[in-house]
Amino acid sequence: MQNGVRLTILIVLIVPVLAGLAGIFLPGLGVFPLLGRSEISADAFFELFAQPGIYHAICLSLWTGIVATIISYLLAMTLLACLFGAESNRWLFRLISPLLSVPHITVAIGLMFLLQPSGWLVRAVSPALTGWDRPPNLNIVPDEYGLMLIVGLIAKELPFFVLMGLSALSQIDVRGYLASSAALGYGRLAGWFLVIQPLIARRLRLSVLIVLVFSLSVVDMAIILAPNTPPPLSVMIFHWFQDPDLMKRFVGSAAAICQLGLIILCCAGWFALSHMIGKLVIWIVGKGWRLGSPRQFRRFLMAGLLIICLLPVCLAIAGMASSLLWAFADVWRFPDFLPQKWGLGGWQVNSGLFATLVMNSLMLGLLASALSMVMAICWLELGSGHSPHSKAPNSVPAAGEFMIYLPLLVPQTAFLFGLQILLIMLKVDGVFISILWAHCLFVFPYIMLSLSEQWRQFDIRYDQCAMVLGTDRWGRFWRVKLPILGVPILISFAIGFAVSAALYLPTIFAGLGRFQTLTTEAVLLASAAGRQTLGAAAFMQMLLPLTIFIVAEGLARVRYRRFSAFRL
Amino acid sequence: MNAFTFLRLAPAINLWQRTQQAGRTALAILWMLAGLLGGLTGWSSVATASTAQQMEQAAKGQTVYFNAWGGSPNINSYIGWVAEQVKARYGITLEHVKLTDTAEAVSRILAEKVAGKTAGGSVDLIWVNGENFATLSREGLLRTDEWAFDLPAFELTDPEALPGLVTDFALPTEGRESPWGRAQLVFGYDSAYLASPPRSAAALKDWIKANPGRFSYPRPPDFTGSSFLKQILLETTDDIARFQTPPSDDADQHLAPLFDWLDEVTPSLWRGGKTYPANYTEMVRLLGDGEVTIAFAFNPAEFSNAISQQILPDTVRSYIHEQGTLANIHFVAIPFNASAPEGAMLVADFLLSFDAQLRKANSEIWGDPTVLSFAKFNDQQKQQFNALPRGVASLSEAELSPALAEPHPDWMTLIEQKWQARFAQ
């Protein structure tokens, strides 16, 4: 029975993945009979590597993706090390965690409004300090080296790492370990990085992979923040699939395979690196070094680190504030600091349509997250078997679980084409269930990624206690396990909702372009000319995920406070 | 042959499909034969009225999914008006499927063809031109009869005076798409910073060099960006006729003036040519912020519309180059597997009708120039067109001429490749 349920979930999720992959691999290998090619060949790859600027594009992708991941990881860990346990810093976490729910594109639009030469920062000091009565011709947003894209990614991923880190820390007796290491003569930072960090690093492996994969394949943010001579590989793939010349799809598919390869390589690289760092930590501990530093220096270091950590986050928040201003501006010319005239001219959406959009997005997001959550819990719970101590023999191969993550690893435009063909063949194109299905393909992996580590680290002794007290399996699940895991479940739910709320292409592809959500409308509005409209679009997009996140966090605080002493 | 022959066949073919599904093939064949006979034997004058009625009858109650770019509020509300009209006139429900990019719909039709969905497709009418039409047509994704030539409203056009009505980017339309509107490359400048704009490629070059950082163009292969390159090409070459035929070995030599021009201006472009606006809407935003002084668009009413939406300051004015600017026509087409072809044809016919074209040409509504021929209007109709309001930054029909013909599409592909290799590596 258990394996039956898992197999069903797997089939529901894997069949579309296979269709999507066929839609990439067949044209990538030169097979697309309808377009007059039916023999396997590597021509598309030769063509790909003959494209002008392709190597530059690949390097740009790797550079921005890897640097953004490493920096946001390091900053998040430092932030946790500096601030964990200090009550006075609670507000800080509260400030940055909602950023997690905001779509990437919103952050990108915000950064553009804030930092570009005609942006809010320049307006703030012009013309009084700079003498500029017109925007200067400076190469920022996008800059030549993709630095803005890195900043944008950090602003989004840092909060994610912090949140994931906090929930990983809740599973560890941090105070106990720190007290022990302090007793052995280690300072707080040294103790943290030598003892606590290795413990949470293991729990954060999957989170790092999500961020790495996302940063290497991001399109929407890169179109706004990355340079375009040439653009990163992901953007190039997107353009090839948008090209009126359908033959470009062969190159696009080859590039998509290439990107998949790069992503897998980078993930392997991360594993190798973390393994080496683990060895290094053991070596340092073995040497017995205490790595002490003068108190003054440490204060200084902590303050410096804190500022560096918070800079991208503050930029993102200020950026979103400036998009809010644009959303309600009617006339706002350079170099005015505030709009000359306020108004709702940028909205261009009547209240009736707006209500429909909110309802559609809400329904789709809630259903997709709830469905994915149920599937994820079934998957995890049934996968662990009756005796969680043994690595339960498992008829569903590990490869099956890997497949679930594939929708995140391949470019959406390429992947969705195959999926669409499948939906048409099954005669379910354009119906709500298909849209829901397509959303689940992307929501489920994120929920799995954010929930599975916590779930698998659940301290089995609680379960055993309840068993000894005579509770049956269902009772233990409902009354012990779920409540203890309540906070991670709520947070994963909110993350799942945020993922669903930001999905554009899957909604369009599965819904034949007829199903409108806040995001489809926002993308449409963003293709119109005005900054006012762009601001309104950004506002519309962040509205729901932010609300859901705040509600989830509030629920977590109220409902599950009494479980807070439980360690997982 | 009577102009309505194909119209008459259209419902016949469709009915054939439906009756075949019901297993009544024989009846369908009879019906087809009747249609054919009508076409061949000159019943035409009698049959025309009745088949037009049959067509309307078939279309009644149909839902037509019109896939069209939905990024412009003016165009969206115009399509909303069209929906009201066809509902009242023909009982057709017109649904505007708002696209961000035409590629979304092209991809969907392709997917349907791959999956073998030869009827009941999701797109009934699609807004296309140029490369997208060429692709759809080449891959057999469009309805193949000459339906567009047989629309009653087509009578009001004059393909001889405006060859673009039947040749889309040098490719004959063969009646597979019906003309909807005219587009022309129009420049806009902010008169607050610039008294008199440069009205030729040569003058523009000098101006860019004298005012570094105040001009850019959307990154090719963006449609508007590539069009700008073609505009410069046609202005800098001394053999404009050469570009009406596909390029051959001497292509480099013919493209040299364009790339010399680009080499000279690139260091003085916005952001030093290190990055380019992604599309023309981004370029228009830059004009609104004062980052650039000159921008351009493919719609003569663009700048007036943007002023009324507060995107641009009211000091913006438009102009075209002395030698003329590129012009082309945009169309609507019906996919091979449309669910409501009769309804789609009636909508296409309405879009081309005098009433719809008059409203579309009004710059307070959309400002898209008509494809109908002035010579075919009666006096009252002429007057109605002449009385249309014009936005502060819109040019008159007279100011918009001359128009340059689009080069052969192979040149565009070649220019885009060379541009990538030279400026995006």
Side-chain angles (χ1 to χ4, degrees), chain A residues 78 119 223 269 390 487:
Chain A
T78 314
I223 287 181
S390 64
V487 172

Side-chain angles (χ1 to χ4, degrees), chain A residues 479-490:
Chain A
R479 289 162 56 203
V480 178
K481 197 164 188 178
L482 275 190
I484 290 178
L485 289 165
V487 172
I489 288 175
L490 275 173

Side-chain angles (χ1 to χ4, degrees), chain B residues 47-105:
Chain B
T48 303
S50 75
T51 41
Q53 274 170 8
Q54 277 165 2
M55 169 105 153
E56 284 179 23
Q57 212 136 42
K60 197 166 185 172
Q62 281 186 337
T63 300
V64 173
Y65 287 97
F66 182 20
N67 284 241
W69 181 65
S72 156
N74 294 42
I75 300 175
N76 292 350
S77 59
Y78 176 76
I79 294 176
W81 172 81
V82 172
E84 286 167 21
Q85 294 295 312
V86 295
K87 184 88 193 171
R89 292 177 192 217
Y90 308 116
I92 293 173
T93 308
L94 184 71
E95 292 280 351
H96 179 192
V97 178
K98 295 175 188 162
L99 304 179
T100 308
D101 196 301
T102 309
E104 286 165 13

Side-chain angles (χ1 to χ4, degrees), chain A residues 67-84 92-93 96 150-163 165 189 192-193 197 200 204 270 301-314:
Chain A
V67 169
T69 309
I70 290 180
I71 292 185
S72 25
Y73 183 75
L74 289 180
L75 289 184
M77 293 308 115
T78 314
L79 206 58
L80 286 176
C82 293
L83 298 181
F84 186 77
L92 205 70
F93 292 118
I96 59 176
I150 293 177
V151 170
L153 285 169
I154 292 175
K156 264 298 287 170
E157 307 309 353
L158 176 68
F160 178 71
F161 279 136
V162 168
L163 198 76
L189 275 187
W192 186 280
F193 281 107
Q197 183 60 34
I200 56 172
L204 286 177
W270 177 264
L301 181 77
M302 277 193 159
L305 283 173
L306 207 61
I307 291 170
I308 295 172
C309 291
L310 289 178
L311 193 64
V313 174
C314 291

Side-chain angles (χ1 to χ4, degrees), chain A residues 137 228-229 244 504 514 528 531, chain B residues 100 122 135 219 274 276 289:
Chain A
N137 186 28
N228 58 13
T229 54
Y504 172 70
R514 296 175 194 172
R531 288 200 194 288
Chain B
T100 308
S122 64
T135 298
R219 180 189 189 278
K274 297 267 201 276
Y276 292 83
D289 292 332

